[in-house]
Amino acid sequence: MLRLAGVVTYYGPIQILKSLDLEVRQGEIVCLLGGNASGKSTTMKTILGIVRPRQGTVEFEGQRIDGLPTEAIVSRGISLVPEARRIFGRMTVWENLTMGAYTRRREAPAELQQDLDRVYGLFPRLRERADQKGGTLSGGEQQMLAVARALMLRPRLLLLDEPSLGLAPLVVREIFRIVRAINKEAGVSVLLVEQNASMALRLADHAYLMETGTMVMSGPAADLARNDAVRRAYLGY
Ligand SMILES: Nc1ncnc2c1ncn2[C@@H]1O[C@H](COP(=O)(O)OP(=O)(O)OP(=O)(O)O)[C@@H](O)[C@H]1O
Ligand SMILES: [Mg+2]
């Protein structure tokens, strides 16, 4: 479904991604592990065309998307829940969600309502708080709003950049449960960047380990969870 091959990305003169390869198959949850500054968020931004690869290709559903504007990539069915959940703090929950559907504004209001109902079904708390300003939600509620907003685009591939950052374990479990439901019930493929490696490896089908801009390991998530080097560096036992 998604394939990065030989991707090289720079910020100014500094090379961040060094011939990166990555694949997400239809229906899979793939997790991307790696230390701070290894280039995980840059990988997400490269997929979405927020930064441009200098070399290499990004293909989505068999077609090249590198070089396309971000809106065009999003409207093909990829949406991103960015690091640090950039919701609109001064807008209400409802406004955040309807903004999330902006690429489809020509559609009938009934469809918008259907999508709202669907995400409210996944996140009942957001329905209760529809008129509350995004900035006044708790951290966990803001993360739910960020995921819900991304789902309003009806993505076929959801990119999640550290959804558990700064959240209490119970909320993290809730968010992982919802990600699993979105994947299993709606068939949305997921690329997940996570520091919480043990939970991510339990959720994912396939995993990649990245260091300083390149993949150093990949395989079934269960295999990486058993790997000694991964355990020492990321699982802490
Ligand atoms: N806009 C930018 N301009 C210049 N350098 C950048 C920019 N964004 C990121 N970098 C640098 O690129 C490198 C990789 O950053 P990136 O955000 O991809 O790491 P990451 O793996 O997501 O790390 P973390 O786990 O801390 O979020 C870092 O050294 C960072 O300082
Ligand atoms: Mg990051």
Side-chain angles (χ1 to χ4, degrees):
M1 180 177 224
L2 178 77
R3 178 179 283 126
L4 280 69
V7 166
V8 173
T9 300
Y10 281 74
Y11 287 120
I14 303 166
Q15 188 178 4
I16 307 294
L17 303 184
K18 299 162 184 163
S19 193
L20 190 86
D21 298 325
L22 168 78
E23 221 176 301
V24 179
R25 280 178 242 268
Q26 174 76 47
E28 265 188 344
I29 299 181
V30 172
C31 93
L32 177 54
L33 305 175
N36 289 125
S38 58
K40 304 180 300 297
S41 297
T42 303
T43 302
M44 299 295 218
K45 289 179 193 160
T46 303
I47 295 167
L48 222 59
I50 297 167
V51 289
R52 288 289 153 79
R54 202 174 282 187
Q55 284 171 39
T57 56
V58 182
E59 280 177 27
F60 181 61
E61 296 179 331
Q63 289 180 314
R64 278 185 69 169
I65 57 168
D66 51 281
L68 293 182
T70 297
E71 312 89 82
I73 296 172
V74 169
S75 60
R76 281 179 188 223
I78 305 181
S79 67
L80 170 69
V81 180
E83 212 169 13
R85 36 182 184 270
R86 306 230 161 67
I87 57 157
F88 305 109
R90 295 196 185 154
M91 292 165 78
T92 66
V93 167
W94 182 86
E95 288 165 336
N96 267 275
L97 291 174
T98 48
M99 276 290 282
Y102 74 99
T103 56
R104 307 165 20 220
R105 78 190 116 207
R106 274 171 250 94
E107 284 178 20
E111 294 202 14
L112 188 66
Q113 191 55 48
Q114 230 174 31
D115 286 353
L116 273 169
D117 287 341
R118 194 170 54 93
V119 300
Y120 284 150
L122 286 166
F123 302 97
R125 196 185 291 224
L126 294 180
R127 191 198 295 272
E128 290 162 24
R129 294 176 183 275
D131 299 324
Q132 188 174 330
K133 295 262 191 289
T136 65
L137 297 173
S138 76
E141 289 165 350
Q142 289 190 21
Q143 184 61 291
M144 291 178 190
L145 178 56
V147 176
R149 187 182 58 186
L151 291 175
M152 290 297 289
L153 291 163
R154 292 193 205 166
R156 291 191 297 285
L157 174 65
L158 182 65
L159 311 178
L160 290 164
D161 196 349
E162 302 208 29
S164 76
L165 195 70
L167 303 181
L170 216 60
V171 182
V172 175
R173 271 207 288 282
E174 175 69 3
I175 286 181
F176 273 54
R177 186 187 64 73
I178 290 163
V179 170
R180 191 191 296 271
I182 294 162
N183 172 254
K184 292 286 173 282
E185 286 153 32
V188 176
S189 308
V190 177
L191 177 60
L192 169 71
V193 165
E194 255 301 329
Q195 295 284 351
N196 191 334
S198 64
M199 282 193 74
L201 288 173
R202 259 179 279 146
L203 179 72
D205 302 297
H206 205 87
Y208 286 87
L209 176 61
M210 132 172 232
E211 271 171 25
T212 57
T214 188
M215 294 306 178
V216 293
M217 206 183 290
S218 76
D223 290 359
L224 263 77
R226 277 192 296 266
N227 180 280
D228 283 340
V230 172
R231 277 173 35 187
R232 271 195 300 277
Y234 296 95
L235 300 174
Y237 59 87

